[in-house]
Amino acid sequence: MTRFDEVRATFWGEDPYGDPPPLTDAAVRDAERRLGVRLPASLLELLRDRNGGVVADAWDACPTDGPTSWSEDHVPFDRLSGVVEEDGDHLSVLDSPCLVEEWGLPSSLVLLSGDGHAWIALDYRACGADGEPSVTWFDADDASELPLAGDFRTFVEGLRASASFHDGQD
């Protein structure tokens, strides 16, 4: 079993809002058309298991190579946005264009997780709309960014429990 499959088997946590609607092929085609990008196959694998929501505690942080406004050595990843239409309970990648504009982020992003002040996003600037995007941390408050992984699969394989970091911050 690959590391990705190991993480995938226990990726999702309990979501107080329940499960969002299942991801369909039609929803993926529509999302890719609306976002103007091809979504990574590994992201779609996770979203076919559950179409967004709370990430299990074992995978709720990503180590960093440098400090951020969040921590000296990691960033939070406690939720993953799904592909859902207007739904006040579930975050959606479909909200990316509006949120990118609102927070002054680069336009070639699909937001995966965040709270407005900081985001983890698929970054299509280098690869183009049909390429395999990297995953990057964006801090809107201090206009900084930090690469997290060369692709989404590698990002998922690197996730750890926030409690495993020395400062215990989550």
Side-chain angles (χ1 to χ4, degrees), residues 3-170:
R3 170 81 172 148
F4 179 83
D5 292 328
E6 290 172 5
V7 175
R8 181 181 174 191
T10 58
F11 184 78
W12 296 106
E14 291 298 317
D15 196 323
Y17 299 109
D19 290 345
L23 182 63
T24 64
D25 291 341
V28 171
R29 286 189 302 274
D30 181 58
E32 290 180 332
R33 179 189 58 75
R34 289 167 61 179
L35 295 169
V37 298
R38 183 185 53 79
L39 296 170
S42 52
L43 170 63
L44 296 176
E45 286 179 55
L46 286 175
L47 295 181
R48 287 187 196 290
D49 295 340
R50 182 190 297 164
N51 192 9
V54 173
V55 174
D57 290 346
W59 316 114
D60 68 351
C62 179
T64 59
D65 290 333
T68 67
S69 60
W70 179 260
S71 169
E72 289 296 314
D73 59 0
H74 71 283
V75 293
F77 188 66
D78 56 349
R79 295 188 67 84
L80 174 60
S81 295
V83 179
V84 294
E85 289 296 330
E86 293 273 332
D87 180 346
D89 292 333
H90 299 99
L91 300 173
S92 178
V93 297
L94 298 175
D95 299 327
S96 293
C98 177
L99 292 170
V100 160
E101 183 177 338
E102 178 181 343
W103 289 96
L105 300 170
S107 62
S108 298
L109 304 180
V110 173
L111 303 178
L112 299 176
S113 186
D115 65 0
H117 301 282
W119 300 95
I120 293 176
L122 297 174
D123 187 350
Y124 287 86
R125 292 177 294 179
C127 68
D130 293 323
E132 187 69 26
S134 60
V135 179
T136 305
W137 164 266
F138 291 89
D139 188 315
D141 289 340
D142 68 11
S144 66
E145 60 185 76
L146 184 67
L148 299 176
D151 58 67
F152 185 76
R153 183 182 195 93
T154 302
F155 169 76
V156 169
E157 290 173 342
L159 293 173
R160 295 181 20 206
S162 60
S164 71
F165 290 91
H166 296 295
D167 63 7
Q169 184 176 351
D170 52 24

